[in-house]
Amino acid sequence: MKKLAAAALLAATSSFAFAQTLVLKADRLLDVENGKLINNAAVVIENDTIIAAGEARKITYASDSRIIELGDYTLLPGLMDMHVHLTSDATKHGYKGLADSLPRVTLTGVKHAQATLMAGFTTVRNVGAPGFADVALRDAINDGDIAGPRMFVAGPSLGVTGGHCDDNLLPYEYHTVSEGVADGPWAVREKVRRNIKYGATVIKFCGTGGVLSKGTKVGVQQYTFEEMQALVDEAHMRGLTVATHAHGTDGIKTAIKAGVDSVEHVSLLDDEAIKLALKHGTYFSMDIYVTEYILSEGAQAGILEESLAKERIVGQRQRDNFTKAVKAGVKMVFGSDAGVYPHGDNGKQFARMVKFGMTPMQAIQASTINAATLLKQQDTLGSVSEGKKADIVGVKGNPLDDISLLENVGLVVKDGQIVKSLAM
């Protein structure tokens, strides 16, 4: 019934384009660019753009504007998750996932896209999907065919033969190789070019072994420096940013030296890796909530015992290193790895980011202005500011006092259209 109600609400609101100016009034507005809370606030929206935001007494608007009084709400930018897999089903890990066809996982992504948007995440970076299914989802959302967040997409993740981004579940006679596998500098350049050809707007590769892959060691580097450098150079030459999956220390440091824009997971850090990140301005995207799902629900969802054993080793070390990175001042973005755990629960990570070292404002900035800057979209996304896209969420109460409030947003506005409202 809850899913049906959400779908009905979306159908009733997503096609409603405001013919008049929309004014949102609330007790609070978060200015994430300056790290300030504005009381008695108003935001004025025309079409898909914010034309004014700040203290209500200083804001002017047309007398025939549509005014929504939210009262005890805090307005903040649409949330941004920099590490999701919308086509992945959290209940189908390991061998369970082999039964689903590419059309099936793409259609599953439709459901996950809507759940993500309803959770307040108006922009995501989808870092890996088979068969360019994420490109199809993005295009369907952009065309208005389905509901979902603004998507920056990677297509198939790149990786070495037998590595974390390869398909290692079946024996030799099946000859299964993931479509992103490439070995050698020129081979990785070709894969980057192919991904761009078919619609990728971000490049993602696996720089070390992983937790959820069969037969890989979490700390072992994948790709040489020369391969990483060629991959990053090709992507940057074409104007795309690069994310690397990297748990192990050597892989993290090599990827940073090769020029990646963000490192994902970042579980096994040392002081040199932190210094390198600070020197190069590299962003860390650390999924410090997901360990709870893996260790509590993973076995039932099909996660292999080998992977559970790796997570028992890595999970707490990643959280400890998150604290170290925050204290050192490394640039951080919000990345949940939703798809490993259920889509729509992305916001549960905020409380862990605060628990392990961030202030509430820093956690929110990681999911707003920092994420927009990583994507090179800071001029249009990431804050509630004049001239930016009208992507706004509202939550009852003050998330600076209780960050867990962001697990239940009451208002979602994307491109100036109200797609969810529990406050009206």
Side-chain angles (χ1 to χ4, degrees):
M1 289 299 293
K2 186 175 181 180
K3 290 182 179 179
L4 288 173
L9 176 61
L10 183 68
T13 59
S14 62
S15 62
F16 183 81
F18 298 114
Q20 59 188 158
T21 300
L22 173 65
V23 181
L24 302 176
K25 290 187 173 182
D27 286 357
R28 294 165 296 275
L29 167 67
L30 287 187
D31 174 0
V32 296
E33 292 185 278
N34 296 301
K36 295 180 180 179
L37 182 69
I38 298 171
N39 292 312
N40 301 316
V43 180
V44 184
I45 299 168
E46 287 187 0
N47 298 317
D48 64 349
T49 303
I50 298 167
I51 64 168
E55 293 182 54
R57 64 186 178 86
K58 298 179 180 179
I59 302 293
T60 59
Y61 44 85
S63 59
D64 64 345
S65 299
R66 181 188 179 199
I67 302 173
I68 299 177
E69 299 276 1
L70 295 165
D72 183 26
Y73 259 65
T74 301
L75 298 175
L76 58 155
L79 303 173
M80 305 173 74
D81 191 334
M82 293 296 96
H83 193 121
V84 303
H85 300 278
L86 290 181
T87 59
S88 295
D89 189 333
T91 68
K92 296 180 179 179
H93 286 285
Y95 290 97
K96 285 187 175 184
L98 293 178
D100 285 348
S101 66
L102 179 60
R104 183 68 183 93
V105 299
T106 306
L107 290 171
T108 300
V110 174
K111 176 181 70 173
H112 296 157
Q114 180 175 316
T116 301
L117 180 61
M118 289 301 182
F121 289 83
T122 56
T123 299
V124 299
R125 186 178 61 165
N126 202 87
V127 284
F132 298 95
D134 52 356
V135 173
L137 280 176
R138 177 200 64 198
D139 293 348
I141 291 168
N142 290 347
D143 289 343
D145 297 334
I146 62 174
R150 183 178 288 98
M151 292 181 66
F152 293 82
V153 299
S157 298
L158 278 60
V160 301
T161 298
H164 179 66
C165 285
D166 198 0
D167 181 356
N168 305 327
L169 291 171
L170 297 175
Y172 168 77
E173 56 264 32
Y174 289 92
H175 302 290
T176 54
V177 178
S178 291
E179 56 201 313
V181 167
D183 300 304
W186 284 108
V188 298
R189 283 186 182 272
E190 187 276 333
K191 287 294 184 182
V192 170
R193 293 168 182 173
R194 187 201 66 154
N195 278 15
I196 295 172
K197 174 182 178 179
Y198 292 111
T201 50
V202 172
I203 298 299
K204 190 280 189 78
F205 74 92
C206 290
T208 75
V211 171
L212 299 183
S213 51
K214 182 180 178 182
T216 71
K217 296 180 180 179
V218 175
V220 172
Q221 181 175 327
Q222 298 176 172
Y223 281 133
T224 64
F225 173 74
E226 290 75 16
E227 289 171 310
M228 292 188 192
Q229 190 177 45
L231 188 158
V232 172
D233 177 67
E234 189 68 39
H236 284 176
M237 184 167 60
R238 302 288 295 275
L240 276 66
T241 56
V242 181
T244 182
H245 158 110
H247 287 283
T249 309
D250 289 341
I252 293 167
K253 292 189 288 191
T254 303
I256 294 172
K257 292 174 184 176
V260 297
D261 299 282
S262 72
V263 183
E264 313 299 301
H265 310 301
V266 210
S267 299
L268 308 176
L269 279 175
D270 63 11
D271 291 340
E272 183 187 6
I274 289 175
K275 290 177 181 178
L276 283 169
L278 292 169
K279 176 183 177 181
H280 291 267
T282 311
Y283 285 84
F284 284 175
S285 170
M286 302 178 72
D287 50 333
I288 57 171
Y289 168 75
V290 70
T291 186
E292 296 172 35
Y293 180 85
I294 291 173
L295 295 181
S296 63
E297 307 293 334
Q300 184 177 352
I303 294 178
L304 305 179
E305 175 54 38
E306 170 192 338
S307 295
L308 296 174
K310 286 189 278 189
E311 183 61 39
R312 293 184 192 106
I313 296 170
V314 167
Q316 188 56 51
R317 290 186 64 180
Q318 183 195 38
R319 289 176 164 191
D320 292 341
N321 284 323
F322 176 86
T323 302
K324 287 179 62 175
V326 170
K327 287 182 178 179
V330 174
K331 295 179 180 179
M332 306 288 283
V333 292
F334 183 105
S336 70
D337 213 358
V340 174
Y341 74 100
H343 297 279
D345 286 349
N346 312 54
K348 290 183 177 180
Q349 179 161 293
F350 282 111
R352 278 58 177 186
M353 294 169 81
V354 171
K355 179 179 180 180
F356 293 102
M358 283 188 168
T359 66
M361 180 63 81
Q362 285 177 320
I364 293 168
Q365 288 171 326
S367 184
T368 54
I369 193 61
N370 291 8
T373 303
L374 168 60
L375 293 172
K376 303 185 187 303
Q377 302 295 315
Q378 66 270 24
D379 292 338
T380 55
L381 300 173
S383 65
V384 182
S385 307
E386 180 181 348
K388 294 197 176 184
K389 291 288 187 183
D391 286 9
I392 300 167
V393 298
V395 59
K396 188 172 179 61
N398 185 353
L400 298 183
D401 294 333
D402 180 2
I403 195 70
S404 68
L405 295 176
L406 293 178
E407 296 172 21
N408 295 287
V409 300
L411 174 74
V412 181
V413 179
K414 182 196 171 196
D415 282 329
Q417 297 188 22
I418 297 174
V419 295
K420 177 182 179 182
S421 179
L422 304 179
M424 298 164 54

